[in-house]
Amino acid sequence: CRPFRQRKDLLTVAGLGPKTYENCAAFCRLSLGSNPLDSTLVHPESYDLATWLLKKFSWKLSEPPSSKLLLQQKKEMKENWTKQASKASKKFGVNQERVFAVLDNLIDSMTNVDPRLKDDDASGVDSGSRSNKAGSVQSCKMLPPEFSSLEKLINATTPMRNIIGTVRNIADFGAFIDFGGQNDGLIHTSKLGPIRLTSLLIGQQLGVDILNVEKNGKISLAVAGLNMEATNLSRSHHNSSNNNNISSRSGRKRSISTQSGSKKSKKRKISNK
């Protein structure tokens, strides 16, 4: 095991390229690194923003305020820190959600909260959401063993509600979830509900609904508690394809009728002459 002095040292690992580094850097925390932010949950791409926020709020990672005070401020940060978030958003060219996400990561790091064990309010669920919080695993269960194979899952009735899943990977368009099946499923950003994609962490448990299982192994999920309906991806693609074909055919017909009309007008002109 080689000693890492900073997160950037991950790039020296054979086979670990810039994209993989981008996806995993925030999950590798170095307590004795050369940069204090390497010990936090903040992603390296947000270090400039995090440094500015630490200075703005007079926080020191080596001497953080009391955990009780920080957690209380965190609950009310969107109400009390909107002005600071707006200023940071303009200064660093990011949206306010990113600013609040970095604040959230800084506070969790200073209070030593295990991000995988956070409750829904600390996991990115907006305040004021429904009582049975979206994504909560409290009322969820493990996937029944009889549906562990893809073949049996394809024949299952969907949607299948309230299944415990674990975040395996995060992309710009959504999160890949291990819900106990043969293949991981995808929660698209449009199916996250009140949960912010930036708040999800690899290894975090999340309640999910299985909406659709394709024969090619693609599985569509949604956050549990949103009660989204089952979707058939193949059918929707087929319908959109048919609509495009119909529109293109009607376009050809209009083109043909226009051409025939122009020929008739030419014949009239010749006959008039």
Side-chain angles (χ1 to χ4, degrees):
C1 180
R2 72 188 74 187
F4 292 129
R5 295 185 178 180
Q6 56 182 346
R7 279 173 168 163
K8 287 184 179 179
D9 290 342
L10 289 169
L11 290 170
T12 63
V13 177
L16 198 153
K19 190 62 180 179
T20 305
Y21 171 76
E22 181 183 335
N23 289 332
C24 74
F27 306 108
C28 299
R29 300 171 67 177
L30 306 178
S31 57
L32 299 176
S34 57
N35 188 336
L37 286 171
D38 283 343
S39 66
T40 70
L41 293 166
V42 179
H43 194 282
E45 67 182 10
S46 298
Y47 276 5
D48 290 342
L49 171 59
T51 301
W52 185 88
L53 290 171
L54 287 169
K55 185 176 180 180
K56 187 71 176 177
F57 290 97
S58 300
W59 291 340
K60 291 183 179 179
L61 293 175
S62 58
E63 301 175 10
S66 70
S67 296
K68 185 177 181 180
L69 176 62
L70 283 173
L71 293 174
Q72 182 60 37
Q73 290 176 326
K74 178 181 175 179
K75 289 182 179 179
E76 303 169 353
M77 67 178 177
K78 285 198 173 183
E79 290 77 17
N80 299 335
W81 295 342
T82 303
K83 185 177 180 180
Q84 293 91 328
S86 177
K87 188 174 181 179
S89 175
K90 293 176 182 177
K91 181 177 179 65
F92 294 94
V94 297
N95 57 42
Q96 290 192 30
E97 285 300 315
R98 168 65 72 84
V99 177
F100 284 122
V102 172
L103 281 169
D104 187 78
N105 288 335
L106 285 172
I107 292 175
D108 283 348
S109 300
M110 288 188 287
T111 55
N112 294 318
V113 171
D114 186 336
R116 296 166 297 179
L117 302 178
K118 294 194 296 182
D119 59 21
D120 291 333
D121 288 333
S123 298
V125 178
D126 294 334
S127 57
S129 59
R130 56 176 64 84
S131 57
N132 56 332
K133 298 220 172 53
S136 173
V137 297
Q138 292 181 358
S139 59
C140 294
K141 59 186 181 299
M142 301 297 291
L143 181 74
E146 58 266 28
F147 297 117
S148 58
S149 71
L150 181 62
E151 182 181 357
K152 292 182 179 179
L153 194 59
I154 289 174
N155 297 323
T157 301
T158 54
M160 191 179 293
R161 307 285 189 192
N162 302 322
I163 303 298
I164 296 176
T166 303
V167 179
R168 287 303 181 207
N169 197 8
I170 300 171
D172 293 338
F173 49 83
F176 291 94
I177 309 294
D178 177 2
F179 59 92
Q182 184 176 333
N183 295 356
D184 290 347
L186 170 68
I187 298 183
H188 189 266
T189 51
S190 61
K191 296 179 174 63
L192 284 171
I195 296 178
R196 300 189 302 270
L197 180 65
T198 54
S199 72
L200 293 177
L201 296 170
I202 292 176
Q204 176 182 339
Q205 285 194 328
L206 192 68
V208 300
D209 292 342
I210 303 173
L211 299 185
N212 184 71
V213 183
E214 296 289 327
K215 292 181 179 179
N216 59 9
K218 292 183 179 180
I219 301 171
S220 175
L221 307 176
V223 167
L226 302 180
N227 296 322
M228 290 189 171
E229 295 300 322
T231 56
N232 190 314
L233 300 179
S234 296
R235 188 177 300 169
S236 62
H237 292 323
H238 179 68
N239 289 340
S240 63
S241 176
N242 284 345
N243 291 335
N244 291 336
N245 289 337
I246 291 171
S247 62
S248 63
R249 287 172 189 166
S250 59
R252 291 194 197 100
K253 288 180 180 179
R254 283 195 294 269
S255 176
I256 293 170
S257 61
T258 304
Q259 290 176 4
S260 61
S262 62
K263 287 180 180 178
K264 289 179 181 177
S265 63
K266 286 180 180 179
K267 287 182 179 178
R268 291 196 193 98
K269 287 181 181 180
I270 293 170
S271 62
N272 290 336
K273 290 180 180 180

